[in-house]
Amino acid sequence: MLHITIHAARRMLRAGDIGARELTAAILERIDAVDGQVRAYLTLTPELALAAADRADAALVAARAAGTTDDLPPLLGIPLAIKDTITTEGIRTTCGSRILENYIPPYQSTAMARLQQAGALILGKTNTDEFAMGSSTESSAYFATRNPWNLAHVPGGSSGGSAAAVAAGECLAALGSDTGGSVRQPAGFCGVVGLKPTYGRVSRYGLVAYASSLDQIGPLARDVTDAAELLGVLAGHDPLDSTSVPAAVPAYAQMLDRPVRGLRVGVPREYFAPGMQPEVEAAVRAAIQVLADLGAEVREIGLPHTDLALPVYYLIAAAEASANLARFDGIRYGLSAAAESLWETYRETRGQGFGPEVKRRIMLGAYALSAGYYDAYYLKAQQVRTLIRADFDAALAEVDVIACPTGPTTAFRIGEKMADPLSMYLTDILTLSANLAGLPAISLPCGFDGAGLPIGLQLMAGAFQEPLLLAAAFAYEQAAGWHTRHPTL
Ligand code: GLN
């Protein structure tokens, strides 16, 4: 039951084979047993979860008696975890930062509101790199989360708490946020499925802003079907987010079965650069061969501006972060360091409240935006971003999906990259282009390295082509079967 999927749990709940309280209590027991080692959660809300489970059970009993279980909300009684960058009304939301250590939001994010409307119940908030700036969850101000496959290794980041919780059986699925890879990279490191939707597909209202032109909320789940289920609940226009797109929401989970025969799969030559762990390349090439065996037409493609994606991303992300994080001034919410003057209050609050990685980004971003440098850095980066986007437009005119690794290596050891920010940034090299281009992308398990650590296959598609992307992922998943493996803790 600990590694049950949403779709299987829903069937059992509706049939009366398990109760929502029973399921929730079992997951809470699992959290009790393993979270001391994994440390996926920053905040737990067991009373709220059990109370919601009892309400779900009452609705399930009534619907069974009336024969109307098919009309119940899709996630009724399903226990989920939420990354702590996503605002939860009445539940502490820290963003992994001291500056929000005691912040209890007075309003609800749209993603949470939609999950609750769909009947889901929330177990707690998961650990994240501070303000989602990082690739290992080690920059959390509280503690590092560990990889359930090997506790000496990182779970990836910044949604490392969510990925580890899903892999360790500490929730059925979770929400993450992805600015440059923060859903997909930890999904790859922890052997679960992570989906970054098209920019504008899911409302960002209540997602604490890191880099607003790149941020997107996405699900981490046990299989592609569950990721599709969650996207169906999360997606849709929201008047509270002006960047959310008023496009119809397809029934993603009902569209997974489309055949791969004739699907054109592009393999970007730039995404297999030297320095990649050989086992990663071998597993991803074998996965692409599985798609070919299923009838896909595989061809090599070029994304010639790939080598510029990393500097462009880290300029744009830092610039937008420096503007977004200006709101943490010690006056409106969060930590407030009492000081003599207004200026001192700013300095003390931000000096004490932010960790070193966040300060680094704010300084880089403020520099890139400052008078005289704006044209040379931020504007130039935006121009090159257009070229990167054009690469994808050209490639996606010839192929339907793009297949590549999620990252160049499997999960590295805790502490290995903390002293060297650039080597940490390099772990995102294969994920951040999808954010720069606004495209949907998914990571799903495609094997293990010699040390037993999971390897991620990344698929990308054109804007709003999630049905195609998910169908290709589903076909591979069902043929390969990696999603049925779980770590032993
Ligand atoms: N690791 C990348 C960064 O630090 C991406 C993080 C994310 O997607 N939130 O910016």
Side-chain angles (χ1 to χ4, degrees), residues 129-130 133-134 139 210 314-315 317-319 321-322 325 350 354-368 417-425:
D129 283 293
E130 189 175 0
M133 297 172 190
S139 89
Y210 162 13
Y314 276 95
L315 269 168
S322 75
L325 270 59
R350 293 167 69 82
F354 290 139
E357 185 58 31
V358 172
K359 287 178 184 162
R360 181 177 297 124
R361 306 284 181 108
I362 291 173
M363 285 190 281
L364 279 171
Y367 181 81
K417 295 188 194 285
M418 277 306 268
D420 181 0
L422 191 57
S423 80
M424 188 73 86
Y425 298 173

Side-chain angles (χ1 to χ4, degrees), residues 296-454:
E297 288 169 28
V298 177
R299 66 182 81 156
E300 192 179 79
I301 57 165
L303 294 168
H305 295 93
T306 295
D307 59 337
L308 299 174
L310 193 87
V312 164
Y313 170 84
Y314 276 95
L315 269 168
I316 292 173
E320 293 182 11
S322 75
N324 276 325
L325 270 59
R327 73 191 63 181
F328 300 102
D329 56 8
I331 297 196
R332 285 173 286 189
Y333 35 66
L335 180 75
S336 184
E340 299 277 292
S341 66
L342 185 63
W343 178 248
E344 280 284 294
T345 303
Y346 293 157
R347 208 174 60 190
E348 283 302 304
T349 301
R350 293 167 69 82
Q352 294 167 24
F354 290 139
E357 185 58 31
V358 172
K359 287 178 184 162
R360 181 177 297 124
R361 306 284 181 108
I362 291 173
M363 285 190 281
L364 279 171
Y367 181 81
L369 290 176
S370 57
Y373 294 107
Y374 180 89
D375 287 4
Y377 293 116
Y378 188 70
L379 190 67
K380 184 62 116 195
Q382 290 290 17
Q383 288 164 340
V384 179
R385 180 179 186 174
T386 303
L387 297 176
I388 291 168
R389 213 180 262 147
D391 279 358
F392 280 96
D393 287 346
L396 289 165
E398 283 173 25
V399 298
D400 303 304
V401 292
I402 295 171
C404 60
T406 304
T409 70
T410 55
F412 44 92
R413 295 181 77 82
I414 290 183
E416 192 181 318
K417 295 188 194 285
M418 277 306 268
D420 181 0
L422 191 57
S423 80
M424 188 73 86
Y425 298 173
L426 279 163
T427 67
D428 305 319
I429 188 129
L430 304 179
T431 47
L432 34 84
S433 291
N435 301 75
L436 290 169
L439 303 177
I442 192 168
S443 175
L444 67 164
C446 72
F448 293 85
D449 70 5
L453 290 162

Side-chain angles (χ1 to χ4, degrees), residues 83 132-135 157-158 177-182 210 313-314 317 361 428:
K83 184 181 183 181
M133 297 172 190
S135 313
S158 58
S177 57
D178 190 314
T179 303
S182 277
Y210 162 13
Y313 170 84
Y314 276 95
R361 306 284 181 108
D428 305 319

Side-chain angles (χ1 to χ4, degrees), residues 255-321:
M255 300 165 81
L256 297 174
D257 251 332
R258 59 163 113 171
V260 171
R261 182 154 303 284
L263 185 82
R264 298 165 304 167
V265 175
V267 182
R269 63 181 77 87
E270 296 83 359
Y271 279 54
F272 294 85
M276 174 167 291
Q277 188 178 328
E279 292 159 301
V280 170
E281 170 154 6
V284 169
R285 292 216 185 265
I288 293 166
Q289 186 56 46
V290 169
L291 287 170
D293 294 343
L294 292 170
E297 288 169 28
V298 177
R299 66 182 81 156
E300 192 179 79
I301 57 165
L303 294 168
H305 295 93
T306 295
D307 59 337
L308 299 174
L310 193 87
V312 164
Y313 170 84
Y314 276 95
L315 269 168
I316 292 173
E320 293 182 11

